[in-house]
Amino acid sequence: MKTIKIIHIEDSSMDSELILSEIEQHGINVDYSCVATEKELIAALENELPDIILADYKLPEYSGKEALKTCSSLYSDIPFIFVSGTMGEEKAVELLKHGASDYILKQNLTRLVPAIEYALKQKELELEKRKAEIKLMQSEKKYRNIFETIQDVFCRTDMNGKILVISPSIQRLSGYTVEELQNKSILVLYNNRKDFNKKMTLLKEHGEIWDFEITYKCKDGTIKYVSINAHFFYNNNDEPCGIESNVRDISLRKKTEEELIAAKERAEESDRLKTVFLANISHEIRTPMNGILGFTELLKESIINHKDINFHLQMIETSGHRMLGLIEQIVSMSVIQSQKIIVKNSKVNLHILLNNMLVFFKNQAEQKEIRLRLNTNFDKEELYAYTDREKLESVLINLIGNAIKFTDKGSVEFGALKISKFIEFYVNDTGIGIPEDKTNKIFENFYQIEQGLSKKHEGVGLGLSIAYEYANILGGKIWVVSQLGKGSCFYFIIPINTEVKANNKKSIKNSNLQ
């Protein structure tokens, strides 16, 4: 008979001997150990796991309830039976709910051995159940793998391509049912007849083909990429009489490959642009710094007239503004890429904002001897937008500043038109223009039409990127129409959200950009 290992949590040696005697009287071989504290219990469990645990409910330094909690969390498979003389019915039911197998009153130990045998039997059944579940899971996995394998299409044709047998999975792949393709030519599925001719040539040369990639034309007209493994099957005279093929849909794989190639190209282009950017930013920083330091040194000279001092100070100021603008662009792009942008909406007077832009850029335009004009269709009214003033100003500053920078003669005109619930800003220049194939790239980070240290115009290629990102953040969009050598016109649209006319104030109204 198998020996049953029992750990008994009991502080009374008399009760321990009584219970052990009761078990042995039934002819059970038992490896019995008695513990009275939590420390002793854990040590006994770590030494060797028992087949069953018996426990008194009340102990001087420990309790059966605490022992049950410990054993249930660590060894839930081991049956736990309370043997106590002080436990009421209500507490017993509570303990059973928390994982106890049974409870026995010390006054009625005749139930002890049957309870032990029943608990051990239940444990054995539970183990058998788990083994069965594991086998079932393994079996399900095996058949699931088989099922997934036959998601491919099996097809058998004669030497001319007439379909003799085709699996039902063809409907998932192509949309055609088995009945629609039975006895039809396999060419119904081929997007290009040359692929079939090439397949036959390879089969005749090698007797089989592997991973032969072609495109199928589905019933609804869509195109799918498939991979074909195929070989001849033979008649009794050992002559090839047909072709057996396994066809797998690889459209997703091909799409992923194409996306990876595109991503690789984008990454390489990004790396190239970043390399140009780093070289360019070094140049852009050194240029104003050299101006600041150089003219500062000249100011130190003792022999210098008042006119020269003013000129040197003006050059230092210009270089400082250039440096500050560069730093502000880098910080703005850093904030955008960190995705920690905070939008602070407020009521913005667009009439005042645009006139401020005119004043701000007037001196810069005059220095280049180009005309700067402001044009709106709401000059006689106050028009407000509920938006982020700083980001709106940043978009306009980048667009207008960019237009002036790339215009050597002629004019720069900017303005805004009220269109229903939206405001469309525009900046039009007569500058160098943008090549047609570059108009979609100019809003990318670091991109510049002129590249390299020998480029004519200063900048690091962040202004339009910042404008593009802020336009999206403000719920609008930005685009450009340009012709190389004739100038560009940038458009920028945002929702008004609120409108307040002179002597006719209205409450704030939200609207979405359609």
Side-chain angles (χ1 to χ4, degrees):
M1 181 182 293
K2 177 186 175 183
T3 299
I4 299 174
K5 180 171 179 57
I6 296 176
I7 292 179
H8 188 189
I9 308 169
E10 174 64 68
D11 64 312
S12 171
S13 59
M14 184 180 295
D15 287 349
S16 173
E17 291 176 3
L18 183 64
I19 289 169
L20 176 59
S21 175
E22 177 67 25
I23 296 171
E24 290 177 338
Q25 283 180 11
H26 285 75
I28 298 175
N29 293 329
V30 60
D31 178 1
Y32 177 88
S33 59
C34 185
V35 298
T37 65
E38 181 181 14
K39 184 177 180 180
E40 291 175 351
L41 172 62
I42 293 175
L45 291 170
E46 290 176 348
N47 181 52
E48 185 179 358
L49 292 179
D51 296 305
I52 197 163
I53 298 173
L54 306 179
D56 195 359
Y57 181 71
K58 286 187 176 180
L59 300 166
E61 300 179 12
Y62 200 33
S63 74
K65 186 176 181 180
E66 291 173 330
L68 173 63
K69 184 177 180 181
T70 300
C71 295
S72 295
S73 62
L74 299 176
Y75 312 103
S76 59
D77 293 337
I78 302 175
F80 194 105
I81 298 176
F82 280 96
V83 185
S84 178
T86 60
M87 183 167 45
E89 189 75 21
E90 187 174 331
K91 290 180 181 178
V93 171
E94 180 186 354
L95 294 170
L96 289 173
K97 289 180 179 179
H98 286 81
S101 303
D102 206 341
Y103 69 96
I104 308 295
L105 296 176
K106 290 180 179 179
Q107 298 89 330
N108 185 21
L109 291 179
T110 55
R111 283 194 61 244
L112 178 58
V113 172
I116 291 174
E117 291 176 341
Y118 179 78
L120 291 174
K121 183 64 177 177
Q122 288 298 112
K123 176 183 177 181
E124 184 180 346
L125 291 174
E126 183 65 26
L127 290 174
E128 290 178 357
K129 178 183 176 183
R130 291 186 184 181
K131 289 179 181 178
E133 288 175 348
I134 291 172
K135 287 183 179 179
L136 179 61
M137 289 174 61
Q138 292 172 340
S139 177
E140 287 178 349
K141 183 178 180 181
K142 175 183 176 181
Y143 286 106
R144 185 169 61 250
N145 289 338
I146 294 174
F147 176 77
E148 290 174 353
T149 301
I150 63 171
Q151 296 303 301
D152 295 347
V153 176
F154 172 79
C155 180
R156 174 178 281 192
T157 67
D158 63 16
M159 295 297 289
N160 296 317
K162 179 182 177 181
I163 298 172
L164 306 176
V165 177
I166 196 164
S167 64
S169 50
I170 187 62
Q171 188 167 0
R172 285 191 298 271
L173 174 62
S174 69
Y176 289 104
T177 63
V178 172
E179 292 74 21
E180 288 174 319
L181 294 175
Q182 194 71 40
N183 296 320
K184 299 289 195 318
S185 172
I186 194 69
L187 288 172
V188 171
L189 296 170
Y190 276 64
N191 185 47
N192 190 336
R193 184 185 181 94
K194 293 180 179 179
D195 291 333
F196 177 77
N197 297 334
K198 184 177 180 181
K199 183 184 78 170
M200 294 302 298
T201 299
L202 292 172
L203 280 170
K204 290 174 182 177
E205 291 177 357
H206 306 288
E208 62 181 9
I209 57 172
W210 293 88
D211 299 324
F212 181 66
E213 296 183 5
I214 63 169
T215 52
Y216 266 10
K217 187 174 183 179
C218 300
K219 185 177 180 179
D220 62 3
T222 58
I223 304 299
K224 287 187 177 181
Y225 288 93
V226 298
S227 175
I228 300 175
N229 299 335
H231 60 266
F232 289 124
F233 64 90
Y234 299 85
N235 58 21
N236 294 333
N237 297 322
D238 203 27
E239 297 172 340
C241 59
I243 304 163
E244 288 182 340
S245 304
N246 185 78
V247 183
R248 173 167 295 182
D249 184 357
I250 60 169
S251 299
L252 181 60
R253 191 191 83 192
K254 295 295 288 187
K255 181 181 178 182
T256 302
E257 289 175 356
E258 291 170 357
E259 289 175 349
L260 286 173
I261 291 171
K264 177 176 176 291
E265 291 174 350
R266 288 195 299 270
E268 290 174 347
E269 175 66 6
S270 177
D271 286 342
R272 186 187 69 80
L273 290 175
K274 286 180 180 179
T275 300
V276 173
F277 168 76
L278 291 173
N280 190 26
I281 197 172
S282 175
H283 170 74
E284 291 293 330
I285 291 174
R286 285 199 304 270
T287 301
M289 281 302 298
N290 288 337
I292 292 170
L293 295 175
F295 284 106
T296 301
E297 286 295 324
L298 290 174
L299 287 173
K300 291 180 180 180
E301 295 181 3
S302 58
I303 303 174
I304 185 168
N305 59 46
H306 183 73
K307 183 178 180 181
D308 288 338
I309 291 175
N310 288 337
F311 175 76
H312 295 342
L313 289 174
Q314 184 180 358
M315 291 299 99
I316 292 173
E317 182 182 19
T318 301
S319 297
H321 282 304
R322 180 175 174 182
M323 176 74 77
L324 180 61
L326 173 63
I327 293 171
E328 287 177 346
Q329 284 193 339
I330 294 172
V331 171
S332 295
M333 185 52 64
S334 177
V335 172
I336 289 170
Q337 292 188 338
S338 70
Q339 297 182 344
K340 294 182 179 179
I341 301 171
I342 299 174
V343 177
K344 299 177 181 178
N345 287 326
S346 63
K347 190 170 69 173
V348 180
N349 187 315
L350 300 178
H351 186 78
I352 294 175
L353 176 69
L354 290 169
N355 276 282
N356 287 343
M357 292 293 109
L358 182 64
V359 173
F360 183 79
F361 285 104
K362 182 179 180 181
N363 185 53
Q364 187 176 337
E366 288 177 350
Q367 287 180 359
K368 294 193 70 175
E369 298 182 349
I370 60 176
R371 295 183 303 277
L372 181 65
R373 293 195 297 265
L374 168 62
N375 179 38
T376 68
N377 71 342
F378 49 87
D379 288 339
K380 296 181 180 179
E381 67 179 31
E382 288 188 351
L383 186 68
Y384 294 82
Y386 193 70
T387 188
D388 189 313
R389 176 190 295 274
E390 290 184 2
K391 292 176 179 56
L392 178 57
E393 285 180 344
S394 179
V395 175
L396 291 171
I397 287 171
N398 278 301
L399 293 181
I400 299 170
N402 207 59
I404 294 174
K405 179 169 65 175
F406 288 100
T407 301
D408 293 326
K409 61 180 179 179
S411 64
V412 171
E413 179 181 297
F414 69 97
L417 305 173
K418 179 186 172 188
I419 304 174
S420 184
K421 296 180 180 180
F422 307 100
I423 289 293
E424 181 181 274
F425 299 91
Y426 73 92
V427 180
N428 188 32
D429 65 64
T430 58
I432 62 175
I434 304 167
E436 186 177 352
D437 61 337
K438 300 293 192 300
T439 54
N440 292 328
K441 291 180 172 292
I442 59 172
F443 296 109
E444 297 177 4
N445 291 347
F446 316 126
Y447 188 84
Q448 294 177 294
I449 296 175
E450 295 180 312
Q451 294 186 0
L453 300 183
S454 61
K455 62 190 180 71
K456 180 180 178 181
H457 300 91
E458 64 184 51
V460 291
L462 291 178
L464 291 180
S465 302
I466 294 169
Y468 179 83
E469 296 292 343
Y470 280 172
N472 289 331
I473 291 168
L474 296 177
K477 60 180 180 178
I478 189 171
W479 69 98
V480 62
V481 176
S482 183
Q483 188 174 355
L484 189 62
K486 294 188 177 181
S488 305
C489 189
F490 285 82
Y491 296 92
F492 165 44
I493 189 170
I494 62 168
I496 298 176
N497 293 329
T498 181
E499 178 179 317
V500 182
K501 289 188 176 182
N503 302 320
N504 185 21
K505 295 187 177 181
K506 298 181 181 180
S507 60
I508 294 174
K509 298 178 182 179
N510 291 323
S511 64
N512 295 321
L513 183 61
Q514 302 295 324

